Amino acid sequence: MSTQLTPDAVTVLDRLAIEVPSWAYGNSGTRFKVFTTPGTPRDPYEKIADAAQVHAHTGLAPEVAIHIPWDLVDDYDALSAFAAEQGVGIGTVNSNTFQDDDFKFGGLTHEDAVIRRKAVDHHLACIDIMDATGSRDLKIWLADGSNYPGQTDLRGRQDRLHESLQEIYARLSGDQRLVLEYKFFEPAFYHTDVPDWGTSYAQVTALGDRAMVCLDTGHHAPGTNIEFIVMQLLRLGRLGSFDFNSRFYADDDLIVGAADPFQLFRILFEVIRGGGMDEGTPVAFMLDQCHNIEDKVPGQIRSVLNVQEMTARALLVDHEALRAAQVAGDVLGANAVFMDAFQSDVRPALAEYREARGLPADPMAAYAGSGYRERIVADRVGGTQASWGA
Amino acid sequence: MSTQLTPDAVTVLDRLAIEVPSWAYGNSGTRFKVFTTPGTPRDPYEKIADAAQVHAHTGLAPEVAIHIPWDLVDDYDALSAFAAEQGVGIGTVNSNTFQDDDFKFGGLTHEDAVIRRKAVDHHLACIDIMDATGSRDLKIWLADGSNYPGQTDLRGRQDRLHESLQEIYARLSGDQRLVLEYKFFEPAFYHTDVPDWGTSYAQVTALGDRAMVCLDTGHHAPGTNIEFIVMQLLRLGRLGSFDFNSRFYADDDLIVGAADPFQLFRILFEVIRGGGMDEGTPVAFMLDQCHNIEDKVPGQIRSVLNVQEMTARALLVDHEALRAAQVAGDVLGANAVFMDAFQSDVRPALAEYREARGLPADPMAAYAGSGYRERIVADRVGGTQASWGA
Amino acid sequence: MSTQLTPDAVTVLDRLAIEVPSWAYGNSGTRFKVFTTPGTPRDPYEKIADAAQVHAHTGLAPEVAIHIPWDLVDDYDALSAFAAEQGVGIGTVNSNTFQDDDFKFGGLTHEDAVIRRKAVDHHLACIDIMDATGSRDLKIWLADGSNYPGQTDLRGRQDRLHESLQEIYARLSGDQRLVLEYKFFEPAFYHTDVPDWGTSYAQVTALGDRAMVCLDTGHHAPGTNIEFIVMQLLRLGRLGSFDFNSRFYADDDLIVGAADPFQLFRILFEVIRGGGMDEGTPVAFMLDQCHNIEDKVPGQIRSVLNVQEMTARALLVDHEALRAAQVAGDVLGANAVFMDAFQSDVRPALAEYREARGLPADPMAAYAGSGYRERIVADRVGGTQASWGA
Amino acid sequence: MSTQLTPDAVTVLDRLAIEVPSWAYGNSGTRFKVFTTPGTPRDPYEKIADAAQVHAHTGLAPEVAIHIPWDLVDDYDALSAFAAEQGVGIGTVNSNTFQDDDFKFGGLTHEDAVIRRKAVDHHLACIDIMDATGSRDLKIWLADGSNYPGQTDLRGRQDRLHESLQEIYARLSGDQRLVLEYKFFEPAFYHTDVPDWGTSYAQVTALGDRAMVCLDTGHHAPGTNIEFIVMQLLRLGRLGSFDFNSRFYADDDLIVGAADPFQLFRILFEVIRGGGMDEGTPVAFMLDQCHNIEDKVPGQIRSVLNVQEMTARALLVDHEALRAAQVAGDVLGANAVFMDAFQSDVRPALAEYREARGLPADPMAAYAGSGYRERIVADRVGGTQASWGA
């Protein structure tokens, strides 16, 4: 009596693609310490090579998100060609206005027009890169905020944010999109300029149809029902992308599904419910994680597998039985239908699914046995290991 | 060297009016116990009489919010006339769709059209009462939600909520408004149908210009920057009303300013900054509190005084000095200007302010010395004390 | 390839017993509303009859915890005999010092010696009942606390608590124990007198060896690592009992495992790791839940099954492989061993396990098909339905 | 009608001393970015020089806490002599076992005896430094913990922690003390080895009388009543030291009193209530802050002033009136006495108090006018600015 995948579920799983972030392959850490790891990439090419391993063993990660300036190169055609050779493409372009001394007090929201100009220009440069790589999405996460009450004028910053975004949005062409991420805390401690989905939603609707909200699963206050927000943004037509990760308390950026697998199940259930895995979905799925203490490539493989597994479980939900129980006000019955899917073990079925597609049944073991790690440890000697600062 | 009120500050303070809720004068408690108190009102008339005491001693509370069906009477003209005799008016009308067995699984969002009809009709009946009392605002707080994942279809409920609200909104006339309150938790534990300002905002903007958001200061997840939301809703033109109270953890409904006076200061600063205390402000200020263990009338007096005091402190902020420090990126300087206002003691100046208006310098002492409490304890013998259920 | 239970796991599962609380069969609710349910017990006998259903269908709940005064009867021999007839016994006795007007400002900690006396006496009376029923544990949960800073003297209350507990503890005989529950919030909002495990631990160690800590899974601040506390209390030899339930935000008292099944898994893993399921364990497992909107008897059946299922999953952890990975600093490997157990589906194996013991493979279906619910709905007409207040 | 300091209050204020941490004068930041500041110290001598400015202008900070290895020097006699010349002393010695690659998976709790040895030895070396500097306290904050469930054996780590601490404790001599800090989150995300006061208390009581708990005001889960813990630890005789700072969400390490001045007031009230400001108090008061974006020396001056101001307000509480109201169950009355002290403006009285002691009435202005900042900006050119890593 083994759990099987339905044909419809297989169709959805075939469609599932999760972008991996180039920066997950570099070193990361906390304010206390960034530990180094043998074999860590020294440049964007090596990051892409590592990312390609994830796709090679899982078939789930055809695109690599890049971060500018961390992934600045002279020639994006060359980078794209290299990626293609590795079997992947360049995905979302992520901007960065938090590591330049000029941005100490903000970028797109800064009081000083000169610094705002610089921040806007950085985004325009990102769009130039998108033009070169063929990326669809410009993702903007703002570190702007303040640490002390009174430090800044909350309202003025919001108005300046709108103006800055307008200029960036106007530069998009074709089917390019702007996705605006929200985060309620860190690196600013008193206020952040886009703290919640409401603010992101209000800002993007003021721009136009190709401006969307990015939901990072780690960017909410405790107790927040994240799947509700997923439902609402899909309902409002503004869920542009996910940054998947998990957390126990703050923005831990742990492996997605590691802290609360049931929450991931509920989120993916709402994604499916709201059409977010339909053909032509507007939702880009992406990881945004740190592998501070664990190996990075297998950390990423584990992550995309977690999303795949929970998607498969969410696809098991018997919608007819669920609706019947919901309509009948049968609380325990509806919950039981829901939990039955979550409690089922889809791993054997997924192993078969993979093998049928020429992929390893156990991608973690396949990677471990591939010798790749040993190779990069041996090869990548000298140079400066990539990290958030490079 | 005493803190003085500027003429501009006095103008704002003269305008300040805080609605008091009729239900604050009845008994309230927790799920564990509702303690009774001698002198507790037995009917809406006695509640209004108590509420009038607050205004009589403070000049701050000219209107009393009512709750239907708790404050159902046969004749609203008589109730209004009685209120007028007491020196107050009838304010916001609050609906209740959480205490009827039919609403066990929701009201405006219910799966069953018959029960939705009943919930909508309850709101239409509230508008009839508004027509009779001349109230401007219909405040809707939904207890709708669910306790278990899978229990209900989150998306369907949101769509039904929109339909129900549309019908209610359509019934408004003149300058009547609908204000939609949000709350992230309780009495439903897994999800609530209007959990955050974003949802309330999305729902009210789909209705029309006279639909607004109500911000209850106790209805946010821990760590939420409430003054940011105040700023944003004022910026978006959708802050309709406040439900003031304070809390340490959940929806404690304690005396406003009791748990974190500095937060109240910051909120009121943003209200002023955003025009929320300007002539003709769209913002209705109101208490929504429980006096589970303390005396109710003085609890309410304390509450409106807390709002007045923190408003006066917020009005002390030297905006020129603040802007100069903000523009200069002087973090400590800007914070110091802000804190200087908060740390100042406005109580002597407010005592003078009150006396100049024929009010007692110390409203708490004046009430205590008035003999009112002794009178109601002696008079209100027998009958059923009002509480949330009556 | 089905998940099997090892003989060792079966031994532990055979030992597993979870007390059910008599009050779970009565009505409960929130401060907003207590909904009634057809068939709800009207007296302690009917509660025990309902509780016996849980044991009959699961074999997991041989004892029923009672709450005094909610379960006051004239003759405890008769009650015990009735329970025995139903196939269950009387378990932990729970005291209540929160529903008498005298306890408005506390019981065991009260300023007034007369009221402290009354609270102590209530506990002595509970021990009398324990003598009659043969119960081992007196569980004390204090509602004592305050709502406003300054309202009370935190330190004095702690000292008085110690004195009160000493007197109660001195009255215990044989192998009777006192277990002290902690809770960080509610019904008091500013402070509770036993807010955390540290306070409970300090208080019980000051009493003697038969004073233990009770851990209620819903009584912690957000972000608390509960399994760590389980580990620590077992290490210190002071984990006396569990009150199982689950919660999304506050003390929701939902079905255990409903909100975060992985957390329940982690907790049970630490229980096993620390010897809490060994022969002669000092840990009493108990439910403490509210079934506000769902049916109560099946809600309880679901709950004990959830504990059993997660215990079975926790017993699957391959300790040798886990230790090897831990010692090697293999973060992903150790986590994978741990998660493998959690992700496995033990339900088919548990169905077989039940059948081998003459129990229904599917207790939920068995109860639904038993006609019990229809019987109590038909029989229990008139009278006053039991709830927290009766 | 100005607020006056009573003679008793003055006695306490004269006794108040707050250690400042050497690392507050170096650069700090978040995982995203550490901003540099002109004039930042390059070595421990320059840090002490900066720290001495705080004392020179406030009279509140006679000692400087150091952090090893950040403040390693060849000759501690020379460092002490330099400090003395600047008018300050060397205070608490803080250990660091989180910035060496060997400590990636822990130090005092590590699986590997070789690494535990290294961590213990680091602490023994710290005690050697204490012997040289005459410092009383060794403060241990552990970064030990794990990021993923299953990664490590929680129980074994606790036992190893005990063994390691025992060896360190045994090395103390004279009136030297060990203070063990707790923190519920960060840099480890799933579990920390000393997450709460209960764990620290259990560990230090297992050591002996000179082992105490350190309470960092930023290291608690949301909703925690910190002043209750202060009360409890003073009651149990184990409150050894404070690390003052403030936070809005996580371990923000903002200026103490910046986020919630009323909380600081309540904490200091309990300190006084519990004898923590009595002659010969066991409690060491200390700052532990980061000045990521604001100037560091004035940030520290602001901080010690905030503690002084809130101490002065807490000393205003009319204890007789408070007790009377508490005993009478007069909730509003007791709260009013408490709040009256908090709402009073002690700043003019403190300005006089300072002037009477030959200190500047306005230390912030005095520092700003002293030319010190301009001097260090001009002088400290070249070299490597101190930060957490150096």
Side-chain angles (χ1 to χ4, degrees):
Chain A
M1 195 210 73
S2 165
T3 299
Q4 299 299 321
L5 303 171
T6 65
D8 284 355
V10 166
T11 304
V12 174
L13 289 171
D14 282 343
R15 209 181 278 146
L16 187 64
I18 305 146
E19 278 191 61
V20 289
S22 70
W23 55 97
Y25 305 92
N27 292 318
S28 60
T30 69
R31 59 178 174 150
F32 296 98
K33 173 71 175 171
V34 176
F35 294 102
T36 57
T37 329
T40 297
R42 281 90 42 96
D43 61 40
Y45 288 86
E46 292 182 351
K47 292 187 213 171
I48 286 175
D50 285 6
Q53 287 293 308
V54 178
H55 190 54
H57 290 97
T58 65
L60 285 166
E63 297 210 322
V64 187
I66 60 175
H67 209 286
I68 304 299
W70 297 341
D71 293 316
L72 269 180
V73 293
D74 291 333
D75 182 344
Y76 286 95
D77 289 340
L79 191 71
S80 295
F82 176 78
E85 279 166 35
Q86 305 287 315
V88 294
I90 307 288
T92 296
V93 173
N94 293 262
S95 64
N96 173 329
T97 52
F98 52 87
Q99 291 189 313
D100 186 305
D101 279 334
D102 280 349
F103 298 136
K104 187 173 182 176
F105 297 122
L108 296 180
T109 66
H110 203 286
E111 292 276 0
D112 185 336
V114 173
I115 295 175
R116 283 206 305 283
R117 179 77 258 144
K118 178 172 172 173
V120 170
D121 284 347
H122 170 70
H123 287 88
L124 301 185
C126 286
I127 300 175
D128 290 341
I129 293 170
M130 292 165 66
D131 291 341
T133 56
S135 300
R136 181 184 60 174
D137 289 351
L138 172 66
K139 187 189 298 163
I140 302 180
W141 169 65
L142 288 179
D144 295 37
S146 67
N147 280 1
Y148 291 98
Q151 177 191 329
T152 193
D153 176 36
L154 302 181
R155 167 70 174 268
R157 294 172 78 90
Q158 206 61 212
D159 295 335
R160 293 192 293 272
L161 175 60
H162 172 63
E163 285 170 32
S164 298
L165 290 176
Q166 256 188 328
E167 186 174 348
I168 296 164
Y169 184 77
R171 170 67 182 75
L172 297 173
S173 63
D175 61 355
Q176 287 177 340
R177 309 189 307 174
L178 179 162
V179 285
L180 181 62
E181 191 165 341
Y182 60 92
K183 184 176 184 183
F184 94 113
F185 137 85
E186 194 204 27
F189 297 135
Y190 166 58
H191 105 277
T192 64
D193 286 303
V194 189
D196 50 25
W197 79 264
T199 294
S200 182
Y201 173 70
Q203 285 282 354
V204 301
T205 50
L207 295 177
D209 286 347
R210 282 173 302 122
M212 308 285 279
V213 176
C214 172
L215 186 157
D216 182 299
T217 50
H219 290 188
H220 304 84
T224 303
N225 184 324
I226 298 174
E227 57 269 27
F228 183 92
I229 300 174
V230 169
M231 173 280 292
Q232 188 68 278
L233 284 170
L234 281 166
R235 177 178 174 267
L236 297 168
R238 292 287 179 172
L239 183 59
S241 61
F242 270 101
D243 272 7
F244 280 123
N245 51 59
S246 79
R247 62 95 178 251
F248 286 96
Y249 183 65
D251 189 26
D252 304 348
D253 280 334
L254 297 177
I255 287 173
V256 55
D260 186 350
F262 183 42
Q263 184 187 56
L264 178 58
F265 172 85
R266 299 192 309 263
I267 288 171
L268 290 167
F269 175 84
E270 287 302 329
V271 170
I272 296 164
R273 166 68 178 92
M277 288 194 180
D278 286 358
E279 190 68 48
T281 173
V283 186
F285 301 94
M286 202 184 115
L287 305 181
D288 186 11
Q289 300 179 173
C290 298
H291 303 293
N292 296 352
I293 56 167
E294 68 272 20
D295 279 346
K296 297 164 205 319
V297 176
Q300 292 276 295
I301 293 175
R302 172 81 281 149
S303 302
V304 296
L305 293 177
N306 283 357
V307 175
Q308 185 186 45
E309 282 183 34
M310 282 303 152
T311 301
R313 292 187 187 218
L315 288 164
L316 286 181
V317 173
D318 179 340
H319 281 266
E320 258 182 73
L322 185 68
R323 271 310 283 155
Q326 288 174 343
V327 170
D330 178 1
V331 177
L332 291 168
N335 181 244
V337 171
F338 197 72
M339 295 309 289
D340 181 48
F342 175 67
Q343 303 288 18
S344 298
D345 191 352
V346 296
R347 294 175 303 170
L350 283 173
E352 282 174 35
Y353 167 90
R354 285 181 202 113
E355 285 187 319
R357 275 147 192 82
L359 291 162
D362 181 345
M364 291 293 283
Y367 172 76
S370 73
Y372 185 81
R373 183 177 177 278
E374 293 71 15
R375 244 177 358 258
I376 58 176
V377 169
D379 289 355
R380 295 177 183 170
V381 175
T384 302
Q385 295 194 336
S387 77
W388 286 12
Chain B
M1 194 211 72
S2 166
T3 299
Q4 299 299 321
L5 303 171
T6 64
D8 283 355
V10 166
T11 304
V12 174
L13 290 171
D14 281 345
R15 207 180 281 145
L16 187 64
I18 305 147
E19 277 190 63
V20 288
S22 70
W23 55 95
Y25 304 92
N27 292 318
S28 60
T30 68
R31 58 177 174 151
F32 296 97
K33 174 71 175 169
V34 175
F35 293 103
T36 57
T37 329
T40 297
R42 280 91 41 96
D43 61 38
Y45 288 85
E46 292 182 350
K47 293 188 213 172
I48 285 175
D50 285 6
Q53 287 293 307
V54 179
H55 191 52
H57 290 98
T58 65
L60 286 166
E63 298 210 322
V64 186
I66 60 174
H67 208 287
I68 303 303
W70 297 342
D71 293 317
L72 271 180
V73 293
D74 290 333
D75 183 345
Y76 287 95
D77 288 340
L79 192 71
S80 296
F82 176 79
E85 279 165 35
Q86 306 286 315
V88 294
I90 307 287
T92 296
V93 173
N94 293 261
S95 65
N96 175 329
T97 52
F98 53 88
Q99 291 188 314
D100 186 303
D101 279 334
D102 279 348
F103 298 137
K104 186 172 182 176
F105 298 121
L108 296 180
T109 67
H110 203 285
E111 291 278 358
D112 185 337
V114 173
I115 294 175
R116 283 206 305 283
R117 179 76 259 144
K118 179 171 173 173
V120 169
D121 284 346
H122 170 71
H123 287 89
L124 301 186
C126 287
I127 300 174
D128 290 341
I129 292 171
M130 292 166 66
D131 290 342
T133 56
S135 300
R136 182 185 59 173
D137 290 351
L138 172 67
K139 188 191 296 166
I140 301 179
W141 170 65
L142 289 180
D144 294 37
S146 67
N147 279 3
Y148 292 97
Q151 178 190 328
T152 193
D153 177 37
L154 302 181
R155 167 70 174 267
R157 293 172 78 90
Q158 206 62 212
D159 295 335
R160 292 191 294 272
L161 175 59
H162 171 64
E163 285 169 33
S164 298
L165 290 176
Q166 257 188 328
E167 186 174 348
I168 296 165
Y169 184 78
R171 170 67 181 76
L172 298 173
S173 62
D175 60 357
Q176 288 177 341
R177 308 188 309 172
L178 179 161
V179 286
L180 181 62
E181 192 164 340
Y182 60 92
K183 183 176 185 185
F184 94 113
F185 137 85
E186 194 204 25
F189 297 136
Y190 166 59
H191 106 276
T192 64
D193 285 304
V194 190
D196 50 26
W197 79 263
T199 294
S200 182
Y201 173 69
Q203 285 282 355
V204 301
T205 50
L207 295 178
D209 285 347
R210 283 173 303 121
M212 308 286 279
V213 177
C214 172
L215 187 157
D216 183 299
T217 50
H219 289 187
H220 304 83
T224 304
N225 184 322
I226 298 174
E227 57 269 28
F228 183 93
I229 300 174
V230 169
M231 174 279 293
Q232 188 68 277
L233 284 171
L234 281 165
R235 176 178 175 268
L236 297 168
R238 292 287 179 172
L239 183 59
S241 60
F242 270 101
D243 270 7
F244 281 123
N245 51 60
S246 79
R247 63 95 178 250
F248 286 96
Y249 183 65
D251 189 24
D252 303 347
D253 279 335
L254 298 177
I255 287 173
V256 56
D260 186 350
F262 183 42
Q263 185 188 56
L264 179 57
F265 171 86
R266 299 193 309 263
I267 288 171
L268 291 167
F269 176 84
E270 287 302 330
V271 170
I272 295 164
R273 165 69 179 91
M277 288 194 180
D278 287 358
E279 190 69 45
T281 172
V283 186
F285 301 94
M286 201 185 115
L287 305 182
D288 185 10
Q289 300 180 172
C290 298
H291 303 293
N292 296 351
I293 56 167
E294 69 271 20
D295 279 346
K296 297 164 205 317
V297 176
Q300 292 275 294
I301 294 175
R302 172 81 283 151
S303 302
V304 296
L305 293 177
N306 283 357
V307 175
Q308 185 186 46
E309 282 184 35
M310 282 303 151
T311 301
R313 291 185 188 219
L315 287 164
L316 285 181
V317 173
D318 179 339
H319 281 266
E320 258 182 72
L322 185 69
R323 271 312 283 155
Q326 288 175 344
V327 170
D330 179 2
V331 177
L332 290 169
N335 181 245
V337 171
F338 197 73
M339 295 308 292
D340 181 48
F342 174 67
Q343 304 286 19
S344 298
D345 191 352
V346 297
R347 294 174 302 170
L350 284 174
E352 284 174 34
Y353 167 89
R354 285 181 202 112
E355 284 187 319
R357 276 147 191 82
L359 291 162
D362 181 346
M364 292 292 284
Y367 172 76
S370 72
Y372 184 81
R373 183 178 176 278
E374 293 72 14
R375 250 188 337 267
I376 58 175
V377 169
D379 289 355
R380 296 177 184 170
V381 175
T384 303
Q385 295 194 339
S387 77
W388 285 12
Chain C
M1 195 212 75
S2 163
T3 299
Q4 298 300 321
L5 302 171
T6 65
D8 284 357
V10 167
T11 305
V12 174
L13 290 172
D14 281 345
R15 209 181 279 144
L16 187 63
I18 304 146
E19 279 190 62
V20 288
S22 69
W23 56 96
Y25 306 92
N27 292 318
S28 61
T30 68
R31 58 177 173 150
F32 296 97
K33 173 70 174 172
V34 176
F35 293 102
T36 57
T37 330
T40 297
R42 282 89 44 96
D43 61 40
Y45 288 85
E46 292 182 349
K47 293 187 211 169
I48 286 176
D50 285 6
Q53 287 294 307
V54 178
H55 190 53
H57 290 99
T58 65
L60 286 166
E63 299 209 323
V64 186
I66 60 174
H67 210 286
I68 305 300
W70 298 341
D71 293 318
L72 270 180
V73 293
D74 291 331
D75 183 344
Y76 287 95
D77 289 339
L79 192 71
S80 296
F82 176 80
E85 278 165 35
Q86 307 287 315
V88 294
I90 307 287
T92 297
V93 173
N94 294 262
S95 64
N96 174 328
T97 53
F98 53 87
Q99 291 188 313
D100 185 304
D101 279 334
D102 279 349
F103 298 137
K104 186 172 181 177
F105 298 122
L108 297 179
T109 67
H110 203 285
E111 291 278 359
D112 185 336
V114 173
I115 293 174
R116 282 205 304 285
R117 180 75 260 146
K118 179 172 174 172
V120 170
D121 284 346
H122 170 71
H123 287 89
L124 301 185
C126 286
I127 300 175
D128 289 342
I129 293 171
M130 291 164 66
D131 290 341
T133 56
S135 299
R136 182 184 61 173
D137 291 350
L138 171 66
K139 187 190 296 165
I140 302 178
W141 169 65
L142 290 178
D144 294 37
S146 67
N147 279 2
Y148 291 98
Q151 178 191 328
T152 192
D153 176 37
L154 301 181
R155 167 69 173 268
R157 294 173 77 91
Q158 205 63 211
D159 295 336
R160 293 191 294 272
L161 176 59
H162 172 63
E163 285 169 34
S164 297
L165 290 176
Q166 256 188 329
E167 188 174 347
I168 297 164
Y169 185 76
R171 170 67 182 76
L172 297 173
S173 64
D175 61 356
Q176 287 176 341
R177 309 188 308 174
L178 179 162
V179 287
L180 181 62
E181 191 165 340
Y182 59 92
K183 184 175 183 183
F184 94 114
F185 137 85
E186 196 205 25
F189 297 136
Y190 166 58
H191 106 276
T192 64
D193 286 304
V194 190
D196 50 27
W197 78 264
T199 293
S200 182
Y201 173 70
Q203 286 282 357
V204 300
T205 52
L207 295 177
D209 286 348
R210 283 174 300 124
M212 308 287 280
V213 176
C214 172
L215 187 157
D216 183 299
T217 49
H219 290 186
H220 303 84
T224 302
N225 183 324
I226 298 174
E227 57 268 28
F228 182 93
I229 300 174
V230 170
M231 175 280 292
Q232 188 68 278
L233 284 171
L234 281 165
R235 177 178 174 268
L236 297 168
R238 293 287 178 175
L239 183 59
S241 61
F242 270 100
D243 271 7
F244 281 122
N245 51 60
S246 78
R247 63 95 178 251
F248 286 97
Y249 182 67
D251 189 25
D252 303 347
D253 280 335
L254 298 177
I255 287 175
V256 55
D260 186 350
F262 183 42
Q263 185 187 56
L264 179 58
F265 172 87
R266 299 192 310 262
I267 288 171
L268 291 167
F269 176 84
E270 287 302 328
V271 170
I272 296 164
R273 165 69 180 92
M277 289 196 182
D278 287 358
E279 191 68 48
T281 174
V283 186
F285 301 94
M286 202 184 116
L287 304 181
D288 186 9
Q289 299 180 172
C290 298
H291 303 293
N292 296 352
I293 55 167
E294 69 272 20
D295 278 346
K296 297 164 206 314
V297 177
Q300 292 275 294
I301 293 174
R302 172 82 282 152
S303 301
V304 297
L305 293 177
N306 282 357
V307 175
Q308 185 186 46
E309 283 183 31
M310 282 302 153
T311 301
R313 292 186 187 217
L315 288 163
L316 285 182
V317 172
D318 179 340
H319 281 265
E320 258 182 72
L322 184 68
R323 271 313 282 156
Q326 287 174 344
V327 170
D330 179 3
V331 177
L332 290 168
N335 180 245
V337 172
F338 197 73
M339 295 308 291
D340 181 47
F342 175 67
Q343 304 286 19
S344 297
D345 190 352
V346 296
R347 295 174 301 170
L350 283 173
E352 284 175 33
Y353 167 90
R354 285 181 202 112
E355 285 188 319
R357 278 147 190 80
L359 291 162
D362 181 344
M364 293 292 284
Y367 172 76
S370 72
Y372 185 82
R373 183 178 176 279
E374 292 72 15
R375 250 186 339 269
I376 57 176
V377 168
D379 289 355
R380 296 177 182 168
V381 175
T384 303
Q385 296 195 338
S387 77
W388 285 13
Chain D
M1 195 212 73
S2 164
T3 299
Q4 298 299 321
L5 303 170
T6 65
D8 284 356
V10 167
T11 305
V12 174
L13 289 172
D14 282 345
R15 208 181 279 145
L16 187 64
I18 304 146
E19 279 191 60
V20 288
S22 70
W23 55 97
Y25 305 92
N27 293 317
S28 60
T30 68
R31 59 177 172 148
F32 296 97
K33 173 71 174 172
V34 176
F35 293 102
T36 58
T37 330
T40 297
R42 280 90 42 99
D43 61 39
Y45 288 86
E46 292 182 350
K47 293 186 212 172
I48 286 175
D50 285 5
Q53 288 293 307
V54 178
H55 191 52
H57 291 98
T58 65
L60 284 167
E63 299 211 321
V64 186
I66 60 175
H67 209 287
I68 304 301
W70 297 341
D71 293 318
L72 270 179
V73 293
D74 291 332
D75 184 345
Y76 286 95
D77 289 341
L79 192 70
S80 296
F82 176 79
E85 279 166 34
Q86 306 287 315
V88 294
I90 307 288
T92 296
V93 173
N94 293 263
S95 65
N96 173 328
T97 53
F98 52 86
Q99 292 188 313
D100 185 303
D101 279 334
D102 279 348
F103 297 137
K104 186 172 181 176
F105 298 121
L108 296 179
T109 67
H110 202 285
E111 291 278 359
D112 186 336
V114 173
I115 294 174
R116 283 206 304 284
R117 180 75 261 146
K118 179 171 173 174
V120 170
D121 285 346
H122 170 70
H123 288 89
L124 301 185
C126 286
I127 300 175
D128 291 341
I129 293 170
M130 292 165 66
D131 291 341
T133 56
S135 300
R136 182 184 61 173
D137 290 351
L138 172 65
K139 187 191 296 163
I140 302 178
W141 169 65
L142 289 179
D144 295 37
S146 67
N147 279 2
Y148 291 98
Q151 178 191 329
T152 192
D153 177 37
L154 301 181
R155 167 71 173 267
R157 293 173 78 91
Q158 204 63 209
D159 295 335
R160 292 191 294 272
L161 175 59
H162 172 63
E163 285 169 33
S164 297
L165 291 176
Q166 256 189 328
E167 187 174 347
I168 296 164
Y169 184 77
R171 170 66 182 77
L172 297 173
S173 64
D175 61 357
Q176 288 175 342
R177 308 188 309 174
L178 179 162
V179 287
L180 182 62
E181 192 165 340
Y182 60 91
K183 183 176 183 183
F184 95 112
F185 137 86
E186 195 205 27
F189 298 135
Y190 166 59
H191 105 277
T192 64
D193 286 304
V194 190
D196 50 26
W197 79 264
T199 293
S200 181
Y201 173 70
Q203 285 282 355
V204 301
T205 51
L207 295 177
D209 287 347
R210 283 174 300 123
M212 308 286 279
V213 176
C214 172
L215 187 157
D216 183 298
T217 49
H219 289 187
H220 303 84
T224 302
N225 183 323
I226 298 175
E227 57 269 28
F228 183 93
I229 300 175
V230 169
M231 174 281 291
Q232 188 69 277
L233 284 170
L234 281 165
R235 177 178 174 267
L236 297 168
R238 294 287 178 172
L239 183 59
S241 60
F242 270 101
D243 272 7
F244 280 123
N245 51 61
S246 77
R247 62 94 177 252
F248 286 96
Y249 182 67
D251 189 25
D252 303 348
D253 281 335
L254 299 177
I255 288 173
V256 55
D260 187 349
F262 183 43
Q263 185 188 55
L264 179 58
F265 172 85
R266 299 193 309 262
I267 288 172
L268 291 167
F269 176 84
E270 287 302 328
V271 170
I272 296 163
R273 165 69 179 92
M277 288 195 180
D278 287 358
E279 190 68 47
T281 174
V283 186
F285 301 94
M286 203 184 115
L287 304 182
D288 186 11
Q289 299 179 172
C290 297
H291 303 293
N292 296 352
I293 55 166
E294 68 272 20
D295 278 346
K296 297 164 205 316
V297 176
Q300 292 276 293
I301 293 174
R302 173 80 282 150
S303 301
V304 296
L305 294 178
N306 283 358
V307 176
Q308 185 186 44
E309 282 183 33
M310 282 302 152
T311 301
R313 291 185 187 217
L315 288 163
L316 286 182
V317 173
D318 180 339
H319 281 266
E320 257 182 74
L322 184 68
R323 271 312 283 155
Q326 288 175 343
V327 170
D330 178 2
V331 177
L332 290 169
N335 180 244
V337 172
F338 197 73
M339 294 309 291
D340 181 48
F342 175 67
Q343 304 286 20
S344 297
D345 191 352
V346 297
R347 294 175 302 171
L350 283 174
E352 283 174 34
Y353 167 90
R354 286 182 201 111
E355 284 186 320
R357 277 148 189 81
L359 291 162
D362 180 346
M364 292 293 285
Y367 171 77
S370 72
Y372 184 83
R373 183 178 177 279
E374 292 72 15
R375 245 179 354 260
I376 59 175
V377 169
D379 289 356
R380 296 177 183 169
V381 175
T384 304
Q385 295 194 337
S387 78
W388 285 13

